[in-house]
Amino acid sequence: MKSLISYIIFFQFVYSQVFSDISFIGSRSVASAGSLVANPKGEECVFYNPAGLTYSDENFSFFYGKTDVFNQKFLTYQYFAFKFPKINNLIHSFAISAQNLNTDYPFDTDDFGSLSGDLSRETAVSLSHGIDLLKDRHSTLSIGYNLNYLNFYQAPSAGPEGDGSDGL
């Protein structure tokens, strides 16, 4: 029974992913319409394909961004990635990243009154690992994976009457 629970917990962490899939992280992905999966380079590859970490150099790098999705002030999206340098040309490359999508409405309206506070919030923290399998003059082959931690919060429901009674 303990091994079954261990497997369930392990696979829950392995298969966790964010609910929102924002595919335009960084200027390079915007310029190529989000098509960076096949040829990722740089620290933003932790969000698309962690195998691209193996193409990085021996320097630390940091990547950060914040945007209002669809230019809406209540949809705030933040992300960062920190890439560790390769040591002595090893075949392993590592990075840590985080993403946060927050839906809040801190404005007062005539129709709904005060709606201050978070309506929903999701945070994903990832450890990425890229491994070189083959690197010669004519070709390269690498694989990568992410270990993800997902935290999701949703505000209580207003209920069927809309006044907070019988809400979840």
Side-chain angles (χ1 to χ4, degrees):
M1 183 64 178
K2 288 182 181 181
S3 63
L4 177 64
I5 293 172
S6 300
Y7 286 128
I8 290 172
I9 290 172
F10 173 74
F11 284 113
Q12 183 176 1
F13 282 111
V14 169
Y15 291 114
S16 65
Q17 65 183 26
V18 293
F19 294 112
S20 61
D21 186 19
I22 312 261
S23 59
F24 298 106
I25 296 175
S27 59
R28 195 166 169 246
S29 66
V30 172
S32 63
S35 62
L36 290 178
V37 174
N39 190 18
K41 290 189 174 89
E43 52 282 327
E44 72 242 27
C45 68
V46 299
F47 300 109
Y48 303 105
N49 185 354
L53 288 171
T54 60
Y55 301 117
S56 61
D57 53 5
E58 286 84 26
N59 296 324
F60 286 102
S61 63
F62 184 74
F63 183 67
Y64 172 78
K66 179 181 178 183
T67 185
D68 294 330
V69 180
F70 304 120
N71 206 20
Q72 301 294 320
K73 296 289 183 200
F74 61 90
L75 284 174
T76 305
Y77 180 65
Q78 300 175 3
Y79 53 90
F80 86 88
F82 182 76
K83 182 188 68 68
F84 299 98
K86 286 174 120 179
I87 300 171
N88 298 330
N89 264 343
L90 290 177
I91 62 172
H92 301 279
S93 299
F94 293 95
I96 189 166
S97 63
Q99 303 177 64
N100 184 1
L101 178 65
N102 194 15
T103 307
D104 62 351
Y105 202 81
F107 312 108
D108 293 334
T109 63
D110 294 333
D111 296 331
F112 302 113
S114 176
L115 298 173
S116 61
D118 290 342
L119 300 177
S120 69
R121 178 179 59 245
E122 76 177 42
T123 303
V125 178
S126 302
L127 174 67
S128 304
H129 183 201
I131 305 167
D132 267 335
L133 297 178
L134 171 70
K135 194 177 231 180
D136 60 18
R137 187 190 326 186
H138 302 292
S139 61
T140 61
L141 178 63
S142 59
I143 61 170
Y145 63 89
N146 287 332
L147 295 176
N148 299 320
Y149 168 75
L150 176 65
N151 184 9
F152 184 71
Y153 165 78
Q154 191 167 6
S157 170
E161 302 298 322
D163 60 357
S165 64
D166 298 328
L168 299 176

